[in-house]
């Protein structure tokens, strides 16, 4: 009987994570940085030129990670110079449009027009470059990419994401290059002594002849046009007046077939919530595209409290946040704005998010009387809990984010006060220790003083003794 109940008991723990408000703080780590969020301002800047920028975020979720995300921004009519991919790359075009050219396996050059909403994957070993269009609105081209060079979608920093094509060539000495390319030394010298261009430059094509870039000296090879998948054109998996969501993975999108990375997008209208759910197979790494939102994450199980805490945090446009598998979460929009995020899910197995509430609730699948025991309530209460919500997945949640925000601020304030109290306590202990130390030193000095006095006394005594002895001897001599 006990065993039978123990399974839904855990489920009740997960649900209670959302009900109980006295939970742990937004899990600030020692340096004050929330571990599962990389704020826009904390990204690492990799490239800054007047033609574009590249920044990165490394993010872990629980024990999994790091996941490596790059944000590539191209000014209109700019070019990301060709690089060799060391990792699987899946990316999303957030704004602007342009062209992608790539080769995998060196058989042929492929070509693709890119626009907002496009999702694309390039396998490790591809050489690729991206050029932004000079569009009338002069919109920048923004790409969000994830790189993974392990089966789990994790990034191995020792290999890196990619390397520039000229580094690959110029790593060899003149002699080897000379033999390999069979060109006069002057040519190689010119190439070797030329300044290294930044990774992003002004587009090299002139007057809209956009095919010139790759096809110079290559005219007999035709580039092959490939069609992209556009997430904004696709039908959502789910949609109601509170928002919509869409997931694509290797099972639903052919171009992701050999990859362990999927893409998802969630659009919450004002005052809504992606209902409490967890991913049994996937870790989610999300990027906020629009607005602000509150994320509530419940720690599953109680294995180690110091490693796993219930968290709530606020995210805004450009922030990256990660949630591990099995961690129940809910994302909420504020009443004054919609909240949109896209992200990457890393999974080798098929993932079906499991929801706690509504029509598709996993709780509705568990025998009601067992559930009643695991929550220690009556059947009737359990019915009331489960039957009221007719909506599924994305729910109305007016002022939920605002309330979470208030709670988070309270928790941060409390944590700060506790930290200050701890610091004051430590300060007091240090002072006490110093006093004790002084006391010990004083005692030590006193003891030394006493010893010195005792020694002197003895010396004096010994001196007297000696004199007495000498006098005695003298007397004896005189007598004899
Ligand atoms: C819990 O995690 C902390 C931090 O990683 C570790 O120091 C501690 O030993 C762990 N406790 C148990 C009971 O595993
Ligand atoms: C909406 O409200 C939230 C919280 O009250 C606030 O942080 C945010 O700046 C507001 N956003 C806009 C667009 O006014
Ligand atoms: C709850 O319902 C089950 C059957 O659905 C029944 O056996 C049990 O006695 C009920 N418990 C209570 C406390 O009413």
């Amino acid at each position: 009987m006990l065993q039978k109940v123990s399974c839904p008991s855990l489920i009740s723990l997960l649900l209670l994570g959302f009900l109980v408000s006295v939970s742990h703080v937004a899990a600030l780590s020692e340096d004050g940085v929330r571990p599962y969020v990389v704020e826009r301002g904390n990204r690492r800047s990799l490239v800054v030129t007047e033609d574009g920028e590249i920044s990165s975020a490394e993010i872990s979720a629980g024990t999994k990670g790091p996941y490596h995300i790059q944000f590539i921004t191209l000014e209109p009519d700019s070019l990301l110079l060709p690089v060799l991919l060391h990792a699987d790359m899946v990316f999303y075009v957030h704004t602007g449009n342009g062209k992608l050219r790539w080769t995998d396996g060196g058989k042929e050059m492929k070509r693709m027009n890119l626009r907002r909403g496009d999702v694309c994957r390039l396998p490790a070993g591809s050489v690729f470059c991206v050029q932004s269009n000079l569009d009338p609105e002069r919109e920048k081209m923004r790409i969000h990419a994830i790189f993974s060079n392990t089966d789990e979608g994790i990034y191995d920093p020792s290999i890196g994401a990619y390397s520039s094509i000229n580094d690959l060539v110029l790593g060899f000495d003149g002699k080897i290059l000379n033999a390999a390319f069979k060109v006069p030394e002057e040519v190689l010298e010119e190439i070797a002594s030329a300044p290294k261009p930044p990774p992003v430059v002004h587009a090299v094509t002139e007057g809209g002849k956009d095919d010139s870039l790759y096809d110079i000296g290559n005219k007999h090879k035709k580039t092959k046009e490939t069609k992209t998948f556009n997430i904004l054109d696709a039908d959502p998996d789910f949609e109601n007046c509170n928002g919509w969501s869409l997931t694509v993975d290797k099972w639903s999108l052919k171009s992701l077939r050999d990859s362990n990375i999927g893409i998802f997008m969630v659009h919450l209208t004002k005052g809504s919530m992606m209902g409490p759910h967890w991913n049994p197979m996937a870790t989610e790494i999300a990027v906020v595209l629009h607005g602000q939102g509150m994320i509530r994450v419940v720690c599953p199980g109680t294995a180690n409290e110091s490693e796993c805490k219930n968290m709530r945090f606020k995210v805004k446009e450009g922030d990256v946040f990660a949630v591990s598998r099995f961690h129940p979460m809910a994302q909420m929009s504020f009443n004054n704005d919609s909240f949109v995020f896209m992200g990457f899910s890393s999974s080798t197995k098929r993932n079906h998010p499991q929801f706690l509430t509504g029509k598709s609730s996993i709780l509705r699948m568990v025998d009601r009387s067992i559930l009643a025991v695991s929550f220690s309530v009556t059947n009737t209460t359990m019915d009331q809990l489960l039957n009221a919500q007719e909506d599924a997945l994305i729910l109305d949640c007016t002022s939920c984010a605002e309330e979470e925000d208030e709670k988070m601020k309270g928790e941060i304030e409390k944590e700060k006060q506790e930290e200050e109290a701890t610091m004051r306590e430590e300060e007091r202990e240090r002072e006490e220790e110093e006093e004790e130390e002084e006391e010990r030193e004083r005692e030590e000095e006193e003891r030394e003083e006493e010893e010195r006095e005792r020694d002197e006394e003895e010396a004096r005594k010994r001196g007297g003794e000696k004199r007495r002895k000498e006098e005695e001897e003298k007397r004896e001599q005189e007598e004899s």
Side-chain angles (χ1 to χ4, degrees), residues 290-292 314 334-338 401-402 405-406 409:
H290 174 86
Q292 304 188 350
K314 188 178 189 172
F334 287 91
N335 293 345
N336 59 4
D337 199 1
S338 55
E402 281 80 357
D405 197 12
E406 283 307 309
K409 283 175 187 157

Side-chain angles (χ1 to χ4, degrees), residues 50-106:
E50 59 184 27
D51 300 301
E53 286 180 26
I54 303 176
S55 62
S56 72
E58 306 245 310
I59 191 159
S60 297
T63 53
K64 280 278 206 123
Y67 296 93
H68 183 75
I69 312 281
Q70 285 196 6
F71 300 87
I72 301 170
T73 304
L74 301 179
E75 294 291 332
D77 208 21
S78 297
L79 175 68
L80 173 68
L81 289 171
V83 291
L84 168 68
L85 261 182
H86 302 169
D88 221 35
M89 173 184 180
V90 175
F91 67 84
Y92 168 77
V93 182
H94 178 35
T95 61
N97 51 62
K99 282 170 206 68
L100 170 75
R101 291 178 173 84
W102 84 101
T103 161
D104 52 309

Side-chain angles (χ1 to χ4, degrees), residues 270-283:
K270 297 172 184 179
S272 301
M273 168 171 76
M274 178 62 113
H277 67 285
W278 66 84
N279 292 307
M281 291 300 163
T283 294

Side-chain angles (χ1 to χ4, degrees), residues 121-140:
R121 178 233 170 189
L122 297 175
S126 310
V127 172
F128 81 97
C129 64
V130 181
Q131 184 171 325
S132 55
N133 289 347
L134 179 59
D135 80 334
E137 277 121 61
R138 294 200 62 84
E139 193 174 28
K140 292 179 190 189

Side-chain angles (χ1 to χ4, degrees), residues 14-29 32-37 39 273 276 293-299 308-316 319-323 327-332 334 339 399-415:
L14 297 181
L15 181 57
L16 290 173
F18 288 98
L19 299 177
V20 180
S21 61
V22 281
S23 58
H24 299 283
V25 179
L28 296 157
S29 64
V33 177
R34 278 170 281 141
Y36 300 166
V37 180
E39 290 182 15
M273 168 171 76
M294 291 301 301
I295 316 295
R296 174 69 167 149
V297 182
V298 171
C299 170
C308 178
K309 286 177 177 173
N310 292 349
M311 291 183 283
R312 50 170 60 91
F313 46 84
K314 188 178 189 172
V315 288
K316 58 182 186 315
D319 290 351
V320 185
F321 62 96
V323 181
H327 285 57
M329 67 186 120
Q331 297 98 340
M332 290 151 266
F334 287 91
F339 174 40
S399 302
C400 292
E402 281 80 357
E403 236 171 73
E404 285 287 306
D405 197 12
E406 283 307 309
K407 278 182 196 155
M408 182 191 74
K409 283 175 187 157
E411 287 169 349
I412 289 175
E413 184 56 31
K414 197 167 138 234
E415 176 134 307

